[in-house]
Amino acid sequence: MEQSSSSVAKTMGDHRFWNTQPVPQYDEQVNEVGAIEPSVPVEQVSKDPPPLPKEFEWCEVDMTDEAQVKELYQLLTFNYVEDDDAQFRFDYSAAFLKWALQPPKWRKSWHVGVRVASNKKLVAFISGIPADMRTYNVTQPLTEINFLCVHKKLRSKRLAPVLIREITRRTHLEGLFQAVYTSGSVLPKPVGTCRYYHRSLNPKKLVECNFSRIPQKWTLARMIKHYKVPDQTAVSGLREMEEKDVPQVRELLNTYLNRFDMAPVFETDDDVKHWILPHKDVVWSYVVENPETKKITDMFSFYSLPSSVIGNPKHSILNAAYLFYYAVQVPSELKEKQGEEAKFLKKRLNELFKDALVMAKKEGFDVVNALDLMDNALVVEDLKFGPGDGYLNYYLYNWKCPEVVRNKVGLVML
């Protein structure tokens, strides 16, 4: 499923809020990397949150309290991203939300909610998590903003800008003045835009859910045969990632991500342990180990984000895997030869991702989704991924840099 694209045609007239914020404007050509506005001393940051309409109050959502995690799960499940036809809705599990919102150095004060004052019902949310990100040659700590959600019945209350102001104030109090976020909507001004691609693993179910259609002049049987994946993996030395692999995976991943112009930096082993090490029913990760040297030469991962299927008589859940981080050790003699390097990567990634499809099928996934970022465009066609009609725009707050083309985006946001 993709983020709803009905708002992609928004006009500048809808951007009253963004026109007041430190973000590049549509017609602005950016040729340098750096802050738009200078950081201010923390003592000059307001100690009070912006006012809410009188029937609402601010709160923090405590991700260590199962009851509050359930409240957040319910808010997101019924009010977060839907596709244009309201047939699919992201279905975040409690385990997924804890993984997404509690990385190393997470802060409870950055899990910001709005409740109805009278009955304490949670009706809006926004989150920030700390991250280290490199844009071109500059690496810095910033905040990843995610899960901005307002209850459907309150969309006219203009709560979203107030939520953004409040998470901004709270990150400023911690001395962080830059942020990164994504949206299916076009706002001022994307630093990069990527397209969704989908690889069917269970064509019959996807057709029954109206996620896919049988191509003209095809039968369902032909479609099933076309998308069949092998029963067994083929890459020698492939195994599930274990905790002992963390230091090697961190080095391999950071080296690989250096290829891109906008990418995270995994500063500590704890970052890799949290984000990449397998978490039951949330994230799956595999490494390729050279049997002689015991060196990790490749790794790939995917995470689970199912969608509720709305109003379908046969199916209630679509099990979707999303391609996450991966890395390949590129032989040093190929690094200076662009054509040779691309040829090597195309072959190796085809082998690795073919096995990723096998593992995803074994784990019961119906579809694998990916964006055309990193080196994915080299292999999506060969592996029978089809282009979707959804796009994901990347944005930076109080930070400017030249536009990043999609195959130079190395940041995967949940």
Side-chain angles (χ1 to χ4, degrees), residues 245-258:
D245 304 321
V246 165
Q248 277 199 69
V249 166
R250 180 164 83 92
E251 189 183 339
L252 181 70
L253 192 49
N254 280 335
T255 301
Y256 191 74
L257 290 172
N258 273 335

Side-chain angles (χ1 to χ4, degrees), residues 2 18 30 34 62 81 86-87 154 167 205 254 302 367 414:
E2 295 145 11
W18 289 109
V30 180
D62 184 353
V81 180
Q87 292 188 88
L154 303 175
I167 192 73
K205 180 174 174 182
N254 280 335
F302 52 83
V367 63
L414 307 177

Side-chain angles (χ1 to χ4, degrees), residues 12 56 95 128 134 219 225 252 273 279 285 314 338 347 356 383 391 401 410:
M12 280 301 286
F56 302 110
R134 179 180 50 76
T219 60
K225 189 178 177 189
L252 181 70
K273 206 180 286 186
H279 287 45
S285 302
K314 277 194 169 177
Q338 273 192 326
K347 180 175 183 292
L383 294 174
Y391 290 82
C401 71

Side-chain angles (χ1 to χ4, degrees), residues 7-21:
S7 50
V8 167
K10 278 187 174 189
T11 63
M12 280 301 286
D14 294 318
H15 297 319
R16 284 173 292 173
F17 170 73
W18 289 109
N19 291 340
T20 68
Q21 299 301 300

Side-chain angles (χ1 to χ4, degrees), residues 12 139 155 165 209 277 328 332 370 403:
M12 280 301 286
T139 301
R155 299 274 161 92
R165 282 198 184 97
C209 291
L277 199 62
V328 172
S332 51
E403 193 174 331

Side-chain angles (χ1 to χ4, degrees), residues 61 130 154 166 210 237 282 318 342 356 362 370 383-385 397 409:
V61 175
L154 303 175
E166 176 57 359
N210 285 324
V282 175
L318 189 68
K362 277 189 174 173
L383 294 174
K384 301 175 183 173
F385 280 77
Y397 185 90
V409 174

